[in-house]
């Protein structure tokens, strides 16, 4: 027979255990007070801030914590910021995700991507009427975006090499504009004969009337490939990571407030993603000598 004193002691121990578990779970949720976010600078800093503002406000409500967006000076800074624990979540291109994952020893996790990023594309643009195909770029002046850009450098270089054009040998001069909109400006201003950029930025610039497609025209569009994603470190609190993932996946274009966020992110919805989706990007980077 169990004595009353023993039963009371057991109940007290059980209550203590429940309290400890409850405190632990609460700690998981509330230990992190600020979510530090950034993005690769593939567009002007003011544009990146404008795009993120409503998304940041939405995430603050979903996570019940402050969300801070910190712009970085270049692609490498976004990688270093995440792996050195100065940032918690970063909008990476496919190549910068691969770089961050390699630099961290596989400790960077892509959580979501836009549906369009499953088959993303790059476009080659020019104002030169004599350029109608990739082979016509031989002997010409050409600009990529950033050296670490997937859609502005890695994949355009990959498809140039597939067309038997080595930019470093076959072109008169190559440059790096630093951002997709800067690439269009360089082509439109006659600083280079042609350039390559992200198809999403190109379509945005055309729709906003910031570039005349009859003057600056697309002469080649690449096949699709995996590109951008939102990534976090593997040591992020798993509760916070799940809440983040769920928040992105819950965005619904039929909700007016959500649609504003999705429109600024240039997508109709976010979908789950995983590191394995970027193995072809990693292979392309190694084949091009851009990842050691």
């Amino acid at each position: 027979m169990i004595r009353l004193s023993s039963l009371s002691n057991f109940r007290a121990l059980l209550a203590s255990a429940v309290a400890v578990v409850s405190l632990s779970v609460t700690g998981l949720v509330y230990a992190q007070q600020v979510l530090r976010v950034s993005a690769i600078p593939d567009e002007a800093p003011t544009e990146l801030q404008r795009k993120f503002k409503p998304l940041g406000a939405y995430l603050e409500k979903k996570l019940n914590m402050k969300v801070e967006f910190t712009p970085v000076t270049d692609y490498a800074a976004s990688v270093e910021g995440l792996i050195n624990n100065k940032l918690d979540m970063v909008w990476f291109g496919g190549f910068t995700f691969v770089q961050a994952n390699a630099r961290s020893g596989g400790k960077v996790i892509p959580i979501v991507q836009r549906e369009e990023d499953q088959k993303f594309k790059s476009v080659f643009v020019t104002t030169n009427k004599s350029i109608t195909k990739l082979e016509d770029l031989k002997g010409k002046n050409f600009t990529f975006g950033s050296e670490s850009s997937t859609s502005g450098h890695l994949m355009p270089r990959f498809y140039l090499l597939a067309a038997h054009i080595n930019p470093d040998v076959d072109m008169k001069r190559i440059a790096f504009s630093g951002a997709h909109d800067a690439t269009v400006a360089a082509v439109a201003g006659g600083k280079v004969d042609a350039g390559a950029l992200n198809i999403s930025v190109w379509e945005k610039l055309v729709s906003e009337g910031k570039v005349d497609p009859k003057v600056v025209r697309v002469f080649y569009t690449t096949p699709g490939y995996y590109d951008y994603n939102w990534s976090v470190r593997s040591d992020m609190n798993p509760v916070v990571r799940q809440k983040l993932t769920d928040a992105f996946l819950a965005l619904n274009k039929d909700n007016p407030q959500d649609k504003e966020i999705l429109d600024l992110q240039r997508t109709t919805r976010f979908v789950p993603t995983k590191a394995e989706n970027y193995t072809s990007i990693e292979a392309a980077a190694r084949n091009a000598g851009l990842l050691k």
Side-chain angles (χ1 to χ4, degrees):
M1 180 180 293
I2 300 176
R3 295 180 179 179
L4 289 177
S5 59
S6 299
L7 184 59
S8 297
N9 288 338
F10 173 75
R11 286 173 174 169
L13 286 172
L14 181 61
S16 297
V18 170
V20 168
V21 171
S22 177
L23 285 171
S24 297
V25 172
T26 301
L28 281 174
V29 176
Y30 295 108
Q32 185 171 341
Q33 299 300 316
V34 179
L35 184 76
R36 302 162 299 174
V37 182
S38 193
I40 55 171
D42 59 347
E43 294 184 85
T46 52
E47 176 63 9
L48 293 177
Q49 291 272 20
R50 184 182 75 87
K51 286 169 55 179
F52 184 77
K53 188 175 180 179
L55 175 59
Y58 167 79
L59 293 177
E60 283 189 344
K61 292 180 180 178
K62 289 291 186 178
L63 273 64
N64 194 28
M65 71 170 67
K66 186 176 181 181
V67 175
E68 292 181 350
F69 183 85
T70 304
V72 292
T73 55
D74 54 36
Y75 282 52
S78 69
V79 171
E80 295 303 317
L82 187 66
I83 65 178
N84 290 324
N85 200 27
K86 294 179 180 179
L87 296 168
D88 302 305
M89 182 174 73
V90 177
W91 174 247
F92 280 139
F95 183 30
T96 34
F97 161 71
V98 167
Q99 289 176 312
N101 205 33
R103 286 272 288 106
S104 67
K107 295 180 180 179
V108 173
I109 299 174
I111 55 172
V112 294
Q113 64 186 154
R114 299 173 303 185
E115 186 171 36
E116 293 80 358
D117 291 316
Q118 297 176 109
K119 292 183 179 180
F120 206 73
K121 297 176 182 179
S122 298
V123 292
F124 286 70
V125 297
T126 187
T127 58
N128 190 323
K129 294 180 180 180
S130 69
I131 298 176
T132 60
K133 56 186 182 299
L134 293 181
E135 290 76 7
D136 295 332
L137 293 172
K138 290 184 177 181
K140 300 295 194 299
N141 295 321
F142 186 86
T143 188
F144 293 107
S146 166
E147 290 188 69
S148 294
S149 173
T150 310
S151 53
H153 180 214
L154 173 60
M155 298 314 290
R157 180 179 284 270
F158 175 81
Y159 287 109
L160 283 167
L161 293 172
H164 306 292
I165 301 170
N166 184 334
D168 302 317
V169 175
D170 298 325
M171 292 180 181
K172 183 178 181 180
R173 179 177 64 88
I174 62 170
F176 293 91
S177 71
H180 300 296
D181 45 5
T183 293
V184 174
V187 174
K191 294 181 179 179
V192 292
D193 297 305
L197 72 146
N198 164 332
I199 192 172
S200 179
V201 173
W202 167 255
E203 291 174 344
K204 184 197 77 166
L205 293 173
V206 171
S207 68
E208 293 177 349
K210 293 181 179 179
V211 61
D212 184 349
K214 294 180 181 178
V215 178
V216 181
R217 59 184 174 80
V218 174
F219 67 94
Y220 179 77
T221 302
T222 70
Y225 52 85
Y226 277 96
D227 201 356
Y228 295 88
N229 66 60
W230 283 104
S231 286
V232 300
R233 290 186 313 281
S234 61
D235 64 358
M236 173 180 270
N237 186 309
V239 174
V240 175
R241 187 170 78 201
Q242 189 59 55
K243 282 178 172 288
L244 264 176
T245 303
D246 291 345
F248 276 106
L249 299 181
L251 287 166
N252 186 339
K253 63 182 177 60
D254 294 327
N255 178 313
Q257 290 182 330
D258 289 0
K259 187 177 186 303
E260 178 191 4
I261 295 170
L262 292 168
D263 286 348
L264 284 170
Q265 298 296 310
R266 296 196 286 276
T267 188
T268 54
R269 67 177 182 136
F270 283 92
V271 297
T273 191
K274 54 187 178 181
E276 290 78 7
N277 288 339
Y278 297 90
T279 53
S280 60
I281 295 291
E282 181 177 355
R286 294 191 186 281
N287 290 339
L290 300 175
L291 186 69
K292 306 299 182 183

